[in-house]
């Protein structure tokens, strides 16, 4: 088991390097350091000197990948890419282009992100699994048919519609909760209720349909027939036999996103003005703030890799056949 | 209601089942059956005849779309079909229990064996805690699983195939049922395990005086287990009667055909009896006898009038031949086409020589995935194939026989050893250099449903090899050859544009054989080519293989665990155990005078189609095939061998050769 973990973590290193290289290359295909400086300084104050100063202050005055004027190993190490990458791997993200410390920002914004993402995830999983189990219990009845029709309809509607529609109906027409914003402490539930509910609703269609398919596949297996031949009730069959076996494929899709909950949701956070990591990323992309974009992509990849490892480990919990040597 | 009125445990009257799949199919039609306490009734029939549907209907567990269309099922005199579902659940598992065919999929993979047994104990007997635990241990010991207390906490995947089926039996017995329905309980098991599991079932049935409905297609199982037999064909019963009388002289022409299709050493090298045509589709209404189109003794009115039940010496048969109103018909004896092969075969040069072939799969562990062990799937086997001869490679599943076949064709890269085709070394070749081997050695696989590409037309499947190996010139020549091949294996050349799903199992195996023959090979490796087929279809394929071998002087390597087929077809036999050949020689010598105790074990486990009662003892402990990762020290067979002593435990036996070219690897070979 430990050997397996160590090996997986070693595999993660080249992946992270690749992700880092790709983000860097893609970003500088569409931008140059000069563009970034102009963007940050604003159109009025742009002079060649100001741009040069901006680049020197932030370390963008060196060549991107290859320094012809340097000696030996310095040709590779004395570059923007090397400077900016090395510190990333010890989770030192430095300052954003507007001067604020990225690590501090992340710490502050993680709370609001999690406050939305975690309840959405837990509640969503509970609602969709229950709904799917219900459809399977009433399989091949009109209830099942119309349930699936509803799922397809809900899948086909853009999540933006739920957000805008929800804000209009709940906040504007009924005045139940604030339309957007965020507050700490006891105030938080008032701000969180609507985004969480809308987040859950947006996911119901596709997840329910997926879980229903998995449950239906399990319920036609031989061991289910054996269980029925034992004389146990259909509900016992569903909860004791089918659910646990179906957890194996469900876990593949679910556990991997758990670490990513820290990253928040790009759309929900932007629409509701939540000061979380999702809106932070969106703002950074719009401001062409390379340091932030790269930090967020890097953290995202790290969390994704952690999610994949957790997925593999979680198999050992639900499937006795899986053991790591 | 008096006791005598329902002395029968289960009585089934005119049970009909319908399945709605677009059109209405009637897999079970007006079936009558009686089972008394302590009696085993065997329901015999080939695949698709409706026997499993009957069992599921009795338990009211029909799959979606299936429904009981009529009839009555009385269990202890009460109509099971009219019980409310909650009462029916009491009957399921508590009164009538069921064992299924495939133990590896019929147990819940993520629940311990204990929890699966305990579920029944608490449901039907209200046992829990220590009481349930003790009862589960007792049940598991009763089915012959050693160390039951510890094994209760294991998961099904930690059990071998035979043990899974034993656990399944323990689970079925946990509710103290008085009727056991066993649906092909040993079909998925190796011969050696099959007879052990049947012994367990017979013993438990006797000691608990359970009634048993045994569903099987295997005459050997019927002969061993049943008190009476009911034969099913195309959804209806056609013959019922006591076992011994049935085996003495089966009445219905179909029953006779079943016996005649069995390969036997006496009928060796003669064509087996086959049935023309196919089982009729069940989505039609039948006017006459359902077997009439295939019946050798069909009369004019057979196709028009449905035969009634006739009583013949206490047995019932549904056939016009036994109609007392009609003039007595002499039932024609089965005709034997006597074209047995003469023994005038030419001793030829060896075609394919395999020597010391090894296939080891590395086992990797740790951070750096270092190789920490070897699974020696094939560990030094030597074989020689000669034109026109059949060499059978026999052994239990997991002994490495399939891997050996693949390694010989370089489909798996051998670790060591040599494979010489007409004297030319083939190992170590890659890509184009293997073309010669591919042209001369072809393979037929076990499962004809999985081994043909479902998206390719039959003509394309047959042509592919010829085009790839460039053996048949241009497209027109290839097309002509496809027609010739289809005719050769007894299919219509108009079938070339169809897809595999349009064919039955037997037809598919013919196509697989035609595909192998397409490039005019000299050797065909047949990996269990008939084990997925019904007996009557197996007979057709064996006949065809025999014909083809004779006309093309093919060499066969026949990989199988079916001793009866070996006895019928093979010239030479090699017995494989845990990656090595432990005995090889003439068929006559190996099968009649086995020298290795393992060969003896295999032969003893074969069920013959002659009535005999199951051995009484359940005590024999099953020792399954050891893992090839950690083979036992010394002779690999010593843990299962009665004769084993210290020498067997420490040294692997050397080859002892005998007159006539046979050899054995045993310290104490049987002397004949």
């Amino acid at each position: 088991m430990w050997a397996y973990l160590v090996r997986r973590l070693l595999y993660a290193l080249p992946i992270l390097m690749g992700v880092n290289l790709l983000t860097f290359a893609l970003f500088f295909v569409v931008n140059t350091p000069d563009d970034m400086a102009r963007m940050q300084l604003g159109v009025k104050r742009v002079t060649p000197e100001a741009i040069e100063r901006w680049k020197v202050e932030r370390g963008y005055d060196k060549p991107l990948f290859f320094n012809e004027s340097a000696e030996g190993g310095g040709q590779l190490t004395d570059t923007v890419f090397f400077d900016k990458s090395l510190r990333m791997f010890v989770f030192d993200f430095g300052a954003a282009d507007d001067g604020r410390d990225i690590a501090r920002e992340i710490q502050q914004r993680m709370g609001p992100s999690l406050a939305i993402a975690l309840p959405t995830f837990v509640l969503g999983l509970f609602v969709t699994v229950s709904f799917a189990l219900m459809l399977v219990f009433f399989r091949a009845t009109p209830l099942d048919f119309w349930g699936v029709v509803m799922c397809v309809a809900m899948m086909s509607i853009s999540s933006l519609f739920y957000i805008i529609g929800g804000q209009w109906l709940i906040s504007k027409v009924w005045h139940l909760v604030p339309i957007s914003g965020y507050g700490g402490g006891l105030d938080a539930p008032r701000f969180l209720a609507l985004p969480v509910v809308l987040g859950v609703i947006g996911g119901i269609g596709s997840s329910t349909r997926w879980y229903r398919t998995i449950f239906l596949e399990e319920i036609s297996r031989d061991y289910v027939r054996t269980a029925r031949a034992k004389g146990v009730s259909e509900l016992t069959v569903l909860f004791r036999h089918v659910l646990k076996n179906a957890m194996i494929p469900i876990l593949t899709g679910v556990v991997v996103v758990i670490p990513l909950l820290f990253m928040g949701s790009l759309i929900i956070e932007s629409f509701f003005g939540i000061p979380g990591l999702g809106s932070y990323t969106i703002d950074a992309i719009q401001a062409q703030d390379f340091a932030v974009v790269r930090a967020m992509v890097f953290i995202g990849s790290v969390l994704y890799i952690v999610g994949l490892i957790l997925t593999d480990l979680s198999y050992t919990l639900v499937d006795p056949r899986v053991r790591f040597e | 209601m008096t006791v005598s009125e329902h002395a029968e445990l289960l009585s089934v009257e005119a049970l009909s089942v319908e399945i709605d799949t677009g059109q209405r199919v009637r897999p079970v039609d007006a079936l009558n059956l009686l089972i008394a306490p302590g009696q085993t009734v065997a329901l015999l029939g080939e695949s698709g005849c409706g026997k499993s549907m009957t069992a599921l209907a009795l338990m009211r567990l029909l799959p979606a779309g299936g429904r009981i269309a009529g009839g009555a099922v009385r269990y202890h005199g009460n109509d099971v079909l009219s019980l409310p579902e909650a009462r029916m659940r009491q009957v399921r598992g508590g009164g009538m229990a069921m064992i299924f065919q495939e133990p590896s999929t019929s147990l819940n993979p993520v629940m311990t064996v204990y929890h699966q047994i305990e579920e029944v104990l608490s449901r039907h007997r209200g046992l829990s805690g220590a009481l349930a635990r003790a009862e589960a241990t007792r049940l598991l010991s009763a089915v012959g699983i050693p160390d039951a207390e510890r094994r209760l906490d294991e998961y099904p995947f930690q059990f071998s195939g035979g043990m899974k089926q034993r656990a399944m039996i323990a689970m079925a017995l946990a509710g103290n049922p008085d009727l056991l329905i066993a649906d092909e309980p040993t079909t998925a098991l190796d011969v050696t395990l099959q007879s052990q599991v049947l012994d367990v079932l017979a013993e438990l049935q006797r000691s608990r005086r359970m009634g048993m409905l045994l569903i099987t297609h295997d005459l050997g199982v019927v002969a061993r287990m049943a008190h009476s037999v009911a034969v099913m064909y195309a959804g209806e019963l056609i013959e019922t009667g006591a076992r011994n009388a049935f085996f003495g002289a089966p009445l219905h022409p179909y029953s006779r055909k079943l016996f005649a299709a069995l390969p036997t050493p006496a009928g060796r090298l003669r064509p087996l009896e086959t049935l023309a045509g196919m089982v009729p589709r069940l989505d039609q209404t039948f006017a006459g006898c359902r077997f009439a189109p295939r019946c050798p003794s069909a009369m004019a009115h057979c196709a028009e009038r449905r035969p009634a039940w006739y009583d013949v010496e206490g047995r019932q048969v549904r056939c016009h031949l036994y109609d007392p109103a009609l003039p007595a018909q002499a039932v024609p004896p089965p005709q034997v086409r006597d074209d047995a092969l003469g023994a005038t075969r030419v001793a030829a040069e060896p075609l394919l020589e395999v020597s010391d072939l090894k296939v080891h799969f590395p086992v990797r562990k740790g951070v750096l995935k270092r190789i920490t062990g070897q699974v020696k799937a094939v560990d030094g086997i030597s074989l020689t194939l000669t034109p026109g001869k059949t060499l059978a490679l026999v052994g239990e599943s997991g002994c490495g026989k399939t891997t050996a076949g693949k390694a010989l064709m370089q489909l798996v890269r051998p670790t060591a050893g040599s494979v010489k085709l007409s004297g030319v070394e083939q190992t170590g070749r890659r890509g184009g250099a293997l073309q010669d081997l591919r042209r001369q050695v072809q393979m037929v696989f076990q499962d004809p449903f999985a081994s043909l590409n479902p998206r390719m037309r039959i003509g394309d499947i047959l042509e592919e090899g010829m085009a790839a190996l460039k053996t048949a010139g241009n497209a027109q020549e290839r097309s002509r050859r496809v027609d010739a091949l289809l005719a050769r294996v007894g299919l219509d050349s108009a079938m070339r544009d169809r897809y595999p799903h349009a064919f039955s199992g037997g037809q598919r195996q013919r196509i697989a054989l035609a595909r192998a023959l397409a490039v005019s090979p000299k050797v065909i490796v047949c990996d269990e080519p008939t084990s997925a087929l019904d007996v009557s279809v197996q007979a057709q394929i064996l006949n065809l293989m025999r014909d083809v071998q004779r006309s093309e002087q093919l060499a066969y390597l026949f990989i199988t665990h079916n001793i009866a087929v070996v006895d019928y077809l093979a010239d030479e036999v090699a017995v494989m155990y845990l990656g090595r050949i432990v005995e090889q020689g003439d068929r006559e010598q190996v099968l009649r005078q086995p020298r290795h105790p393992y060969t003896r074990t295999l032969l003893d486990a074969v069920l013959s189609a002659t009535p005999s009662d199951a051995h009484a003892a359940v005590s024999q402990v099953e020792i399954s095939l050891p893992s090839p990762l950690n083979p036992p020290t010394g002779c690999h067979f010593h843990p299962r061998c009665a004769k084993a002593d210290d020498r067997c435990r420490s040294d692997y036996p050397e080859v002892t050769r005998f007159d006539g070219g046979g050899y054995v690897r045993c310290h104490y070979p049987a002397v004949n």
Side-chain angles (χ1 to χ4, degrees):
Chain A
M1 165 105 171
W2 289 110
Y4 176 80
L5 262 183
V6 169
R7 198 171 62 243
R8 286 297 297 267
L9 289 173
L10 287 178
Y11 287 161
L13 279 180
I15 298 175
L16 287 175
M17 285 184 214
V19 167
N20 186 39
L21 180 67
L22 265 179
T23 335
F24 191 89
L26 281 175
F27 193 90
F28 284 103
V29 165
V30 283
N31 288 290
T32 62
D34 288 15
D35 295 336
M36 293 161 62
R38 268 186 220 108
M39 184 87 183
Q40 284 290 325
L41 294 171
V43 184
K44 283 179 204 157
R45 280 174 290 159
V46 172
T47 60
E49 295 77 39
I51 290 178
E52 273 312 307
R53 196 162 356 97
W54 188 90
K55 279 161 65 179
V56 172
E57 278 169 10
R58 286 166 179 76
Y60 288 112
D61 55 333
K62 294 174 189 167
L64 288 178
F65 286 107
F66 191 75
N67 193 341
E68 282 178 2
S69 58
E71 301 274 308
Q75 288 189 324
L76 286 177
T77 55
D78 200 14
T79 57
V80 176
F81 178 68
F82 192 82
D83 271 1
K84 304 261 167 192
S85 300
L86 203 57
R87 278 180 295 156
M88 189 95 84
F89 282 87
V90 290
F91 293 92
D92 174 7
F93 302 114
D97 288 347
D98 61 5
R100 283 195 263 179
D101 184 45
I102 297 181
R104 237 182 94 78
E105 284 286 312
I106 291 177
Q107 263 175 23
Q108 281 176 354
R109 288 166 170 269
M110 207 145 75
S113 272
L114 273 180
I116 300 264
L118 204 60
T120 311
F121 171 78
V122 175
L123 202 63
L125 194 63
F126 177 77
V127 168
T128 45
V129 167
S130 316
F131 190 34
L133 274 176
M134 190 191 79
L135 292 185
V136 169
F137 185 77
F138 292 102
R139 62 190 173 283
T141 62
L143 185 73
D144 181 29
F145 176 81
W146 289 108
V148 174
V149 169
M150 196 188 89
C151 286
V152 174
M154 288 183 75
M155 276 168 75
S156 318
I157 297 170
S158 158
S159 59
L160 294 180
F161 175 84
Y162 296 119
I163 294 172
I164 297 167
Q167 282 180 329
W168 174 76
L169 187 73
I170 309 284
S171 306
K172 190 137 185 240
V173 180
W174 292 343
H175 297 289
L176 289 179
V177 292
I179 206 159
S180 71
Y182 183 75
L186 288 176
D187 235 9
R190 279 198 328 119
F191 290 103
L192 294 182
L194 188 58
V196 167
V197 168
L198 293 179
V200 169
I201 290 177
I204 283 183
S206 56
S207 303
T208 304
R209 246 173 52 88
W210 182 44
Y211 297 154
R212 178 181 167 273
T213 316
I214 292 172
F215 290 141
L216 280 182
E217 200 181 310
E218 284 301 321
I219 213 161
S220 61
R221 295 207 191 264
D222 287 352
Y223 70 84
V224 174
R225 191 181 57 188
T226 309
R228 292 202 185 111
K230 288 177 181 176
V232 296
S233 69
E234 192 63 22
L235 277 177
T236 315
V237 166
L238 265 189
F239 281 95
R240 196 183 295 164
H241 293 272
V242 173
L243 188 58
K244 195 166 179 204
N245 277 284
M247 282 318 282
I248 299 168
I250 290 178
L251 274 177
T252 335
V254 166
V255 174
V256 72
V257 304
I258 292 179
L260 287 172
L261 296 177
F262 286 96
M263 301 289 291
S265 150
L266 299 183
I267 296 172
I268 294 257
E269 286 182 16
S270 312
F271 269 84
F272 285 93
I274 311 275
L277 287 175
S279 50
Y280 187 48
T281 313
I282 290 270
D283 294 347
I285 293 171
Q286 279 164 357
Q288 291 189 13
D289 191 331
F290 179 62
V292 176
V293 171
R294 211 154 68 118
M296 296 312 290
V297 172
F298 184 80
I299 295 175
S301 338
V302 170
L303 291 177
Y304 191 67
I305 290 167
V306 171
L308 288 176
I309 295 176
L310 282 182
T311 306
D312 286 355
L313 295 184
S314 65
Y315 281 138
T316 58
L317 294 181
V318 291
D319 192 343
R321 288 162 294 187
V322 180
R323 289 276 176 274
F324 297 113
E325 298 287 297
Chain B
M1 205 184 297
T2 61
V3 178
S4 61
E5 257 182 329
H6 51 97
E8 264 80 39
L9 186 56
L10 185 85
S11 83
V12 180
E13 287 153 32
L15 178 73
S16 295
V17 175
E18 282 184 353
I19 296 183
D20 234 329
T21 51
Q23 72 261 74
R24 184 166 296 175
V25 180
R26 222 168 223 250
V28 182
D29 196 9
L31 180 125
N32 293 309
L33 210 56
L34 286 179
I35 301 177
Q39 288 287 304
T40 300
V41 176
L43 193 56
L44 176 73
E46 294 188 287
S47 40
C49 74
K51 19 184 227 308
S52 291
M53 279 298 159
T54 308
L56 292 174
L58 298 183
M59 296 284 277
R60 280 176 48 190
L61 284 174
L62 285 173
R67 65 185 187 89
I68 292 165
V73 177
R74 278 183 236 289
Y75 169 70
H76 287 293
N78 302 320
D79 191 1
V80 163
L81 301 184
S82 60
L83 286 180
E85 181 63 20
R87 280 285 313 282
M88 188 61 211
R89 282 203 292 269
Q90 295 280 10
V91 175
R92 273 186 219 130
M96 296 159 56
M98 193 161 173
I99 305 170
F100 299 95
Q101 172 170 5
E102 187 60 70
S104 53
T105 58
S106 295
L107 292 169
N108 188 332
V110 302
M111 275 169 87
T112 61
V113 170
Y114 172 65
H115 277 116
Q116 301 193 45
I117 296 177
E118 186 262 350
E119 192 172 27
V120 184
L121 292 175
S122 77
R123 171 75 183 77
H124 293 291
R125 291 163 66 187
L127 295 179
S128 62
L131 276 177
R133 182 89 197 174
E135 178 64 9
T137 313
R138 199 186 63 74
L139 282 163
L140 216 53
S141 312
V143 294
I145 293 184
D147 202 5
E149 171 66 31
R150 186 178 59 80
R151 305 222 64 160
L152 272 179
D153 292 318
E154 294 190 352
Y155 290 91
F157 77 95
Q158 289 161 301
F159 279 37
S160 68
M163 296 223 295
K164 274 183 216 162
Q165 197 61 305
R166 285 164 191 252
M168 188 84 205
I169 295 171
M171 202 185 300
L173 297 179
N176 273 340
D178 51 12
L179 177 68
L180 189 63
I181 301 174
D183 187 1
E184 303 268 11
T186 56
T187 307
L189 302 179
D190 263 320
V191 272
T192 46
L193 300 177
Q194 179 176 29
S195 57
Q196 294 175 17
V197 168
L198 288 179
D199 286 347
V200 170
L201 267 180
E203 165 61 22
L204 290 168
Q205 187 242 0
R206 219 180 349 249
S207 60
R208 290 168 171 248
R209 270 189 63 72
M210 281 188 302
M212 180 147 93
L213 178 64
L214 179 71
I215 292 168
T216 183
H217 69 279
D218 189 337
L219 283 167
V221 172
V222 180
R224 177 79 160 270
M225 301 287 290
H227 297 104
S228 61
V229 184
V231 186
M232 213 170 164
Y233 180 79
E236 64 177 14
L237 284 186
I238 52 168
E239 176 172 355
T240 61
R243 176 190 65 178
N244 287 352
F246 175 75
F247 278 87
L251 294 173
H252 199 282
Y254 174 69
S255 315
R256 289 162 194 238
K257 283 285 184 186
L258 280 183
F259 279 95
L262 286 179
T264 56
R268 190 177 146 72
L269 305 176
R270 280 208 207 94
L272 293 165
E273 284 259 346
T274 55
L275 279 169
M278 284 162 64
V279 181
R281 296 166 59 97
L282 297 175
D283 54 358
Q284 51 184 324
T285 44
F286 294 93
C289 171
R290 298 180 184 199
F291 187 60
R294 307 173 74 186
C295 183
S297 27
M299 295 168 283
H301 60 281
C302 283
E304 290 141 29
R305 275 215 327 263
R306 190 163 176 212
W309 282 103
Y310 298 106
D311 200 276
V312 181
E313 293 154 14
R315 291 188 279 161
Q316 282 74 43
V317 61
R318 182 179 262 172
C319 177
H320 285 306
L321 287 177
Y322 300 92
D323 186 352
L326 289 169
Q329 291 275 334
V331 181
Q335 289 184 359
V336 179
R337 270 199 291 150
D338 197 5
D339 58 347
L341 266 178
T344 53
R345 289 201 202 174
V346 201
E349 289 294 298
L351 196 55
L352 192 73
E353 279 175 289
V354 177
S355 51
D356 214 22
L357 188 72
K358 292 182 180 173
V359 183
H360 295 181
F361 297 108
V363 177
R364 292 168 192 276
K365 272 186 185 166
V367 176
L368 300 172
K369 291 249 170 196
R370 271 183 306 228
I371 296 173
T372 57
Q374 299 277 351
V375 174
K376 297 178 176 174
V378 178
D379 199 20
I381 65 165
S382 303
L383 301 166
T384 306
L385 297 180
T386 42
K389 295 262 184 186
T390 302
L391 170 64
L393 191 58
V394 293
E396 290 164 283
S397 39
C399 75
K401 49 193 198 302
T402 295
T403 311
K406 287 185 183 162
L408 175 155
M409 295 198 61
Q410 310 294 315
L411 293 173
V412 174
R413 204 154 279 284
T415 315
S418 100
V419 175
K420 285 200 178 118
L421 179 67
S422 311
V424 184
E425 181 60 50
Q426 301 292 326
T427 50
R429 292 190 170 196
R430 281 165 193 274
L434 279 172
Q435 281 218 350
D436 210 31
L437 180 75
R438 298 271 178 271
R439 201 171 300 140
Q440 307 222 15
V441 186
Q442 282 287 320
M443 196 156 183
V444 174
F445 299 92
Q446 173 170 11
D447 186 352
F449 292 88
S451 62
L452 297 175
N453 185 339
R455 303 264 177 276
M456 276 172 84
R457 291 170 200 278
I458 300 307
D460 298 335
I461 289 175
L462 296 184
E463 226 183 288
E464 195 180 26
M466 290 186 262
L469 296 169
K470 303 182 188 65
T471 57
N474 60 20
Q476 272 134 30
E477 276 175 57
R478 286 204 298 272
S479 175
R480 268 200 299 279
R481 178 134 177 84
V482 168
D483 289 341
L485 283 166
L486 283 173
R488 183 77 192 82
V489 297
L491 296 174
D492 189 5
S493 66
M495 291 172 171
R496 59 184 298 163
D497 291 325
R498 295 201 202 156
Y499 289 93
H501 69 82
F503 296 89
S504 69
Q507 288 177 321
R508 285 187 211 206
Q509 207 57 311
R510 286 167 188 265
I511 294 164
L513 190 60
R515 188 203 54 76
L517 290 172
V519 295
S520 311
K522 301 231 169 65
V523 179
I524 298 188
V525 177
C526 309
D527 189 358
E528 306 262 14
T530 61
S531 67
L533 304 176
D534 275 320
V535 183
S536 63
V537 181
Q538 166 177 291
Q540 298 171 4
I541 297 294
L542 289 180
N543 283 345
L544 177 63
M545 290 185 60
R546 210 186 54 105
D547 276 1
V548 173
Q549 175 170 48
R550 193 157 38 156
S551 63
E552 324 271 322
Q553 281 296 300
L554 288 173
Y556 284 146
L557 177 64
F558 205 93
I559 298 170
T560 186
H561 65 267
N562 188 333
I563 303 287
V565 171
V566 172
D567 209 351
Y568 172 75
L569 200 71
D571 299 292
E572 254 196 292
V573 181
V575 182
M576 203 165 165
Y577 187 73
L578 221 58
R580 298 189 184 175
I581 291 176
V582 293
E583 177 165 8
Q584 185 174 354
D586 275 356
R587 173 192 63 93
E588 194 59 33
Q589 190 247 300
V590 175
L591 300 186
R592 299 291 172 273
Q593 303 165 330
R595 313 210 198 231
H596 198 285
Y598 177 60
T599 315
R600 169 106 270 157
T601 309
L602 276 183
L603 294 177
D604 285 348
V606 174
L607 299 177
S608 70
T610 42
S612 69
D613 286 305
H615 311 172
V618 190
S619 57
Q620 50 178 327
V621 173
E622 166 197 333
I623 301 164
S624 52
L625 198 67
S627 155
L629 178 59
N630 294 308
T633 56
C635 174
H636 292 163
F637 188 63
H638 84 254
R640 295 169 72 176
C641 184
K643 288 197 233 167
D645 63 9
D646 286 344
R647 188 167 155 221
C648 299
R649 280 184 273 275
S650 60
D651 305 319
Y652 197 87
E654 288 303 311
V655 167
T656 315
R657 293 196 177 279
F658 295 103
D659 300 339
Y663 70 85
V664 63
R665 302 187 84 161
C666 179
H667 290 303
Y668 305 105
V671 189
N672 297 297

